[in-house]
Amino acid sequence: MNLQKITEILATEPAYRLKQVKRAVFVDLISNWSQVTNLALALREKLNAECSLVIDGQLVQGQADNNVQKAILILADGLKIETVLMRHKTGRQTVCVSSQVGCALACAFCATGQNGFKRNLSADEIVEQVLFFQRVLKKENCRVNNVVFMGMGEPLLNYDAVLAAIKTINDPLALGIGMRHISVSTVGIIENIKKLAAEDLQINLALSLHAPNDELRSKIMPINKKFALNEVLKVMDFYASQTNRRVMLEYIMIKDFNDQPEQAQELVGLIKKSFKAENQKLVFVNLIVYNPTGIFKPATDSVIKEFHDYLMQEGIDATIRFRFGNDINAACGQLVYGKNNLD
Ligand code: SAH
């Protein structure tokens, strides 16, 4: 799909045409222009020739987890990306989109980074991931209602495309998903968090924190050597002040690495030191059950619970995110470019 091209082709048409066409693509979910019968035949043919709506992808169905579906999409240049649909018991449908092919950050716990970086995705390639699942869900009379930028890649290292994709995902004439139902997760690219705060978008921002001090964080996240933790948290505090939105701190629980009472204490201290008192109520910690991808072991359930309870007792809001999509390698940090499924 090439939204820009579609807009250019329709430039000579009356303005309402673009609206009709967006509706056809994003609401009626057509995959062939011949379905838009209110367009002249020649225009339909031109659009089919120059702006194909085919999304080349394949669904991978989990067995134990029917509530998670992974799709592998094949891009125009043959590269593959993965995208995940999570069906929550509450009836919400969340799509977890990738923002890059691979990832340059090489976090020690994450499978995506271990394969290196190929390229940024375009805004349309990001939007297509949501569209792909919107088409799947249409058959069940359902729609995507949440989008999280938590798939492959670092969204804030592909800022312009991610921002443009967010706008299309939110556009009432396109996917119409509310800003408050869109979340971006980042390792903490300081300049771009500042930029994002200035956009005044009302989206949710999550920081992949994973450790309560620089020494520990640098061991698992090489990017920490570039952006020190206190600077990153300062800018998260700024984001909270600017937007008054809740900010999520993601913390993967790794056995005997960052899961001890000592680290829980340090984390509480870090949050209290980094966020202004009035912003502390906007902060919540999401403790993530580590999906094994290599060298580390997951923390035990009882240790995670203790860690969680300690944070709560200290007045820091915390939740535990359980495994989702483990059996099809669709869980956090397990996405690689189609490696284990199509090659
Ligand atoms: N680069 C961004 C976007 C990816 S989000 C970021 O790091 O925030 C993917 C989320 O899954 C991040 O919080 C990441 O730290 C987490 N993750 C990565 N590997 C994981 C693993 N093996 N188990 C659980 N979570 C993991």
PDB file of all heavy atoms in Angstrom, residues 93-118:
ATOM      1  N   GLN A  93      -8.809  -6.053  21.279  1.00  0.00           N
ATOM      2  CA  GLN A  93      -7.881  -6.678  20.337  1.00  0.00           C
ATOM      3  C   GLN A  93      -6.710  -5.721  20.164  1.00  0.00           C
ATOM      4  O   GLN A  93      -6.894  -4.582  19.738  1.00  0.00           O
ATOM      5  CB  GLN A  93      -8.528  -6.869  18.960  1.00  0.00           C
ATOM      6  CG  GLN A  93      -9.995  -7.221  18.981  1.00  0.00           C
ATOM      7  CD  GLN A  93     -10.237  -8.701  19.155  1.00  0.00           C
ATOM      8  OE1 GLN A  93      -9.311  -9.508  19.136  1.00  0.00           O
ATOM      9  NE2 GLN A  93     -11.477  -9.059  19.332  1.00  0.00           N
ATOM     10  N   THR A  94      -5.525  -6.204  20.506  1.00  0.00           N
ATOM     11  CA  THR A  94      -4.339  -5.357  20.426  1.00  0.00           C
ATOM     12  C   THR A  94      -3.402  -5.868  19.346  1.00  0.00           C
ATOM     13  O   THR A  94      -3.107  -7.061  19.302  1.00  0.00           O
ATOM     14  CB  THR A  94      -3.591  -5.375  21.771  1.00  0.00           C
ATOM     15  OG1 THR A  94      -4.455  -4.871  22.785  1.00  0.00           O
ATOM     16  CG2 THR A  94      -2.332  -4.515  21.728  1.00  0.00           C
ATOM     17  N   VAL A  95      -2.941  -4.976  18.492  1.00  0.00           N
ATOM     18  CA  VAL A  95      -1.905  -5.373  17.537  1.00  0.00           C
ATOM     19  C   VAL A  95      -0.579  -4.789  17.999  1.00  0.00           C
ATOM     20  O   VAL A  95      -0.480  -3.608  18.337  1.00  0.00           O
ATOM     21  CB  VAL A  95      -2.231  -4.903  16.104  1.00  0.00           C
ATOM     22  CG1 VAL A  95      -1.054  -5.190  15.166  1.00  0.00           C
ATOM     23  CG2 VAL A  95      -3.460  -5.617  15.578  1.00  0.00           C
ATOM     24  N   CYS A  96       0.435  -5.647  18.033  1.00  0.00           N
ATOM     25  CA  CYS A  96       1.786  -5.235  18.402  1.00  0.00           C
ATOM     26  C   CYS A  96       2.588  -5.103  17.106  1.00  0.00           C
ATOM     27  O   CYS A  96       2.850  -6.102  16.435  1.00  0.00           O
ATOM     28  CB  CYS A  96       2.369  -6.309  19.326  1.00  0.00           C
ATOM     29  SG  CYS A  96       4.081  -6.029  19.755  1.00  0.00           S
ATOM     30  N   VAL A  97       2.917  -3.877  16.740  1.00  0.00           N
ATOM     31  CA  VAL A  97       3.552  -3.653  15.439  1.00  0.00           C
ATOM     32  C   VAL A  97       5.070  -3.504  15.555  1.00  0.00           C
ATOM     33  O   VAL A  97       5.598  -3.056  16.574  1.00  0.00           O
ATOM     34  CB  VAL A  97       2.997  -2.390  14.713  1.00  0.00           C
ATOM     35  CG1 VAL A  97       1.535  -2.567  14.329  1.00  0.00           C
ATOM     36  CG2 VAL A  97       3.178  -1.122  15.540  1.00  0.00           C
ATOM     37  N   SER A  98       5.744  -3.855  14.479  1.00  0.00           N
ATOM     38  CA  SER A  98       7.179  -3.624  14.362  1.00  0.00           C
ATOM     39  C   SER A  98       7.398  -2.261  13.724  1.00  0.00           C
ATOM     40  O   SER A  98       6.579  -1.804  12.916  1.00  0.00           O
ATOM     41  CB  SER A  98       7.809  -4.699  13.472  1.00  0.00           C
ATOM     42  OG  SER A  98       7.712  -5.968  14.098  1.00  0.00           O
ATOM     43  N   SER A  99       8.502  -1.626  14.087  1.00  0.00           N
ATOM     44  CA  SER A  99       8.803  -0.314  13.501  1.00  0.00           C
ATOM     45  C   SER A  99      10.060  -0.363  12.628  1.00  0.00           C
ATOM     46  O   SER A  99      10.325   0.564  11.865  1.00  0.00           O
ATOM     47  CB  SER A  99       8.982   0.732  14.604  1.00  0.00           C
ATOM     48  OG  SER A  99       9.922   0.289  15.560  1.00  0.00           O
ATOM     49  N   GLN A 100      10.827  -1.439  12.766  1.00  0.00           N
ATOM     50  CA  GLN A 100      12.035  -1.601  11.945  1.00  0.00           C
ATOM     51  C   GLN A 100      12.166  -3.075  11.555  1.00  0.00           C
ATOM     52  O   GLN A 100      11.593  -3.940  12.220  1.00  0.00           O
ATOM     53  CB  GLN A 100      13.277  -1.203  12.751  1.00  0.00           C
ATOM     54  CG  GLN A 100      13.282   0.257  13.203  1.00  0.00           C
ATOM     55  CD  GLN A 100      14.527   0.631  13.994  1.00  0.00           C
ATOM     56  OE1 GLN A 100      14.949  -0.097  14.881  1.00  0.00           O
ATOM     57  NE2 GLN A 100      15.114   1.781  13.659  1.00  0.00           N
ATOM     58  N   VAL A 101      12.940  -3.336  10.517  1.00  0.00           N
ATOM     59  CA  VAL A 101      13.280  -4.730  10.219  1.00  0.00           C
ATOM     60  C   VAL A 101      14.537  -5.019  11.030  1.00  0.00           C
ATOM     61  O   VAL A 101      15.595  -4.448  10.772  1.00  0.00           O
ATOM     62  CB  VAL A 101      13.563  -4.959   8.715  1.00  0.00           C
ATOM     63  CG1 VAL A 101      13.735  -6.460   8.441  1.00  0.00           C
ATOM     64  CG2 VAL A 101      12.464  -4.370   7.852  1.00  0.00           C
ATOM     65  N   GLY A 102      14.385  -5.863  12.047  1.00  0.00           N
ATOM     66  CA  GLY A 102      15.496  -6.103  12.969  1.00  0.00           C
ATOM     67  C   GLY A 102      15.627  -4.936  13.924  1.00  0.00           C
ATOM     68  O   GLY A 102      14.714  -4.101  14.044  1.00  0.00           O
ATOM     69  N   CYS A 103      16.754  -4.863  14.617  1.00  0.00           N
ATOM     70  CA  CYS A 103      16.952  -3.805  15.607  1.00  0.00           C
ATOM     71  C   CYS A 103      18.442  -3.621  15.813  1.00  0.00           C
ATOM     72  O   CYS A 103      19.205  -4.585  15.825  1.00  0.00           O
ATOM     73  CB  CYS A 103      16.282  -4.199  16.924  1.00  0.00           C
ATOM     74  SG  CYS A 103      16.331  -2.889  18.169  1.00  0.00           S
ATOM     75  N   ALA A 104      18.845  -2.364  15.981  1.00  0.00           N
ATOM     76  CA  ALA A 104      20.278  -2.070  16.107  1.00  0.00           C
ATOM     77  C   ALA A 104      20.751  -2.083  17.562  1.00  0.00           C
ATOM     78  O   ALA A 104      21.927  -1.898  17.828  1.00  0.00           O
ATOM     79  CB  ALA A 104      20.557  -0.706  15.493  1.00  0.00           C
ATOM     80  N   LEU A 105      19.830  -2.273  18.513  1.00  0.00           N
ATOM     81  CA  LEU A 105      20.186  -2.000  19.905  1.00  0.00           C
ATOM     82  C   LEU A 105      20.884  -3.142  20.638  1.00  0.00           C
ATOM     83  O   LEU A 105      21.523  -2.919  21.657  1.00  0.00           O
ATOM     84  CB  LEU A 105      18.932  -1.566  20.674  1.00  0.00           C
ATOM     85  CG  LEU A 105      18.306  -0.271  20.154  1.00  0.00           C
ATOM     86  CD1 LEU A 105      16.985  -0.004  20.841  1.00  0.00           C
ATOM     87  CD2 LEU A 105      19.248   0.906  20.364  1.00  0.00           C
ATOM     88  N   ALA A 106      20.704  -4.362  20.147  1.00  0.00           N
ATOM     89  CA  ALA A 106      21.422  -5.523  20.701  1.00  0.00           C
ATOM     90  C   ALA A 106      21.257  -5.708  22.206  1.00  0.00           C
ATOM     91  O   ALA A 106      22.220  -5.996  22.911  1.00  0.00           O
ATOM     92  CB  ALA A 106      22.913  -5.442  20.328  1.00  0.00           C
ATOM     93  N   CYS A 107      20.047  -5.537  22.718  1.00  0.00           N
ATOM     94  CA  CYS A 107      19.800  -5.827  24.134  1.00  0.00           C
ATOM     95  C   CYS A 107      20.031  -7.330  24.339  1.00  0.00           C
ATOM     96  O   CYS A 107      19.617  -8.147  23.525  1.00  0.00           O
ATOM     97  CB  CYS A 107      18.368  -5.459  24.525  1.00  0.00           C
ATOM     98  SG  CYS A 107      18.015  -3.702  24.319  1.00  0.00           S
ATOM     99  N   ALA A 108      20.685  -7.654  25.448  1.00  0.00           N
ATOM    100  CA  ALA A 108      21.154  -9.035  25.637  1.00  0.00           C
ATOM    101  C   ALA A 108      20.023 -10.057  25.774  1.00  0.00           C
ATOM    102  O   ALA A 108      20.211 -11.224  25.513  1.00  0.00           O
ATOM    103  CB  ALA A 108      22.043  -9.087  26.871  1.00  0.00           C
ATOM    104  N   PHE A 109      18.842  -9.580  26.173  1.00  0.00           N
ATOM    105  CA  PHE A 109      17.745 -10.513  26.469  1.00  0.00           C
ATOM    106  C   PHE A 109      16.784 -10.673  25.301  1.00  0.00           C
ATOM    107  O   PHE A 109      15.824 -11.418  25.377  1.00  0.00           O
ATOM    108  CB  PHE A 109      16.961  -9.992  27.687  1.00  0.00           C
ATOM    109  CG  PHE A 109      16.667  -8.518  27.572  1.00  0.00           C
ATOM    110  CD1 PHE A 109      15.618  -8.062  26.808  1.00  0.00           C
ATOM    111  CD2 PHE A 109      17.503  -7.579  28.183  1.00  0.00           C
ATOM    112  CE1 PHE A 109      15.366  -6.712  26.665  1.00  0.00           C
ATOM    113  CE2 PHE A 109      17.260  -6.220  28.046  1.00  0.00           C
ATOM    114  CZ  PHE A 109      16.189  -5.783  27.279  1.00  0.00           C
ATOM    115  N   CYS A 110      17.003  -9.932  24.212  1.00  0.00           N
ATOM    116  CA  CYS A 110      15.980  -9.833  23.168  1.00  0.00           C
ATOM    117  C   CYS A 110      16.441 -10.485  21.866  1.00  0.00           C
ATOM    118  O   CYS A 110      17.531 -10.196  21.369  1.00  0.00           O
ATOM    119  CB  CYS A 110      15.651  -8.359  22.938  1.00  0.00           C
ATOM    120  SG  CYS A 110      14.432  -8.092  21.650  1.00  0.00           S
ATOM    121  N   ALA A 111      15.601 -11.356  21.332  1.00  0.00           N
ATOM    122  CA  ALA A 111      15.973 -12.091  20.118  1.00  0.00           C
ATOM    123  C   ALA A 111      16.062 -11.176  18.898  1.00  0.00           C
ATOM    124  O   ALA A 111      16.894 -11.390  18.016  1.00  0.00           O
ATOM    125  CB  ALA A 111      14.949 -13.193  19.853  1.00  0.00           C
ATOM    126  N   THR A 112      15.219 -10.140  18.852  1.00  0.00           N
ATOM    127  CA  THR A 112      15.222  -9.261  17.676  1.00  0.00           C
ATOM    128  C   THR A 112      16.602  -8.635  17.472  1.00  0.00           C
ATOM    129  O   THR A 112      17.157  -8.670  16.367  1.00  0.00           O
ATOM    130  CB  THR A 112      14.188  -8.120  17.827  1.00  0.00           C
ATOM    131  OG1 THR A 112      12.913  -8.682  18.110  1.00  0.00           O
ATOM    132  CG2 THR A 112      14.093  -7.288  16.563  1.00  0.00           C
ATOM    133  N   GLY A 113      17.163  -8.106  18.558  1.00  0.00           N
ATOM    134  CA  GLY A 113      18.440  -7.406  18.469  1.00  0.00           C
ATOM    135  C   GLY A 113      19.593  -8.324  18.091  1.00  0.00           C
ATOM    136  O   GLY A 113      20.566  -7.897  17.474  1.00  0.00           O
ATOM    137  N   GLN A 114      19.466  -9.584  18.465  1.00  0.00           N
ATOM    138  CA  GLN A 114      20.570 -10.507  18.201  1.00  0.00           C
ATOM    139  C   GLN A 114      20.778 -10.763  16.710  1.00  0.00           C
ATOM    140  O   GLN A 114      21.809 -11.276  16.297  1.00  0.00           O
ATOM    141  CB  GLN A 114      20.357 -11.808  18.991  1.00  0.00           C
ATOM    142  CG  GLN A 114      20.649 -11.590  20.496  1.00  0.00           C
ATOM    143  CD  GLN A 114      19.932 -12.551  21.412  1.00  0.00           C
ATOM    144  OE1 GLN A 114      19.561 -13.633  21.007  1.00  0.00           O
ATOM    145  NE2 GLN A 114      19.739 -12.149  22.657  1.00  0.00           N
ATOM    146  N   ASN A 115      19.768 -10.419  15.921  1.00  0.00           N
ATOM    147  CA  ASN A 115      19.893 -10.620  14.469  1.00  0.00           C
ATOM    148  C   ASN A 115      20.340  -9.377  13.721  1.00  0.00           C
ATOM    149  O   ASN A 115      20.391  -9.373  12.496  1.00  0.00           O
ATOM    150  CB  ASN A 115      18.540 -11.048  13.897  1.00  0.00           C
ATOM    151  CG  ASN A 115      18.430 -12.550  13.881  1.00  0.00           C
ATOM    152  OD1 ASN A 115      19.402 -13.245  14.124  1.00  0.00           O
ATOM    153  ND2 ASN A 115      17.253 -13.036  13.599  1.00  0.00           N
ATOM    154  N   GLY A 116      20.578  -8.297  14.430  1.00  0.00           N
ATOM    155  CA  GLY A 116      21.043  -7.078  13.774  1.00  0.00           C
ATOM    156  C   GLY A 116      19.916  -6.285  13.133  1.00  0.00           C
ATOM    157  O   GLY A 116      18.745  -6.651  13.226  1.00  0.00           O
ATOM    158  N   PHE A 117      20.305  -5.198  12.499  1.00  0.00           N
ATOM    159  CA  PHE A 117      19.357  -4.234  11.936  1.00  0.00           C
ATOM    160  C   PHE A 117      19.407  -4.293  10.416  1.00  0.00           C
ATOM    161  O   PHE A 117      20.486  -4.352   9.838  1.00  0.00           O
ATOM    162  CB  PHE A 117      19.750  -2.834  12.423  1.00  0.00           C
ATOM    163  CG  PHE A 117      18.992  -1.721  11.790  1.00  0.00           C
ATOM    164  CD1 PHE A 117      17.664  -1.487  12.130  1.00  0.00           C
ATOM    165  CD2 PHE A 117      19.593  -0.897  10.846  1.00  0.00           C
ATOM    166  CE1 PHE A 117      16.959  -0.441  11.543  1.00  0.00           C
ATOM    167  CE2 PHE A 117      18.890   0.153  10.260  1.00  0.00           C
ATOM    168  CZ  PHE A 117      17.569   0.380  10.615  1.00  0.00           C
ATOM    169  N   LYS A 118      18.247  -4.289   9.775  1.00  0.00           N
ATOM    170  CA  LYS A 118      18.228  -4.250   8.304  1.00  0.00           C
ATOM    171  C   LYS A 118      17.845  -2.866   7.783  1.00  0.00           C
ATOM    172  O   LYS A 118      18.567  -2.259   7.045  1.00  0.00           O
ATOM    173  CB  LYS A 118      17.245  -5.279   7.755  1.00  0.00           C
ATOM    174  CG  LYS A 118      17.634  -6.708   8.046  1.00  0.00           C
ATOM    175  CD  LYS A 118      18.558  -7.261   6.975  1.00  0.00           C
ATOM    176  CE  LYS A 118      18.854  -8.707   7.282  1.00  0.00           C
ATOM    177  NZ  LYS A 118      20.082  -9.210   6.800  1.00  0.00           N
TER     178      LYS A 118
END
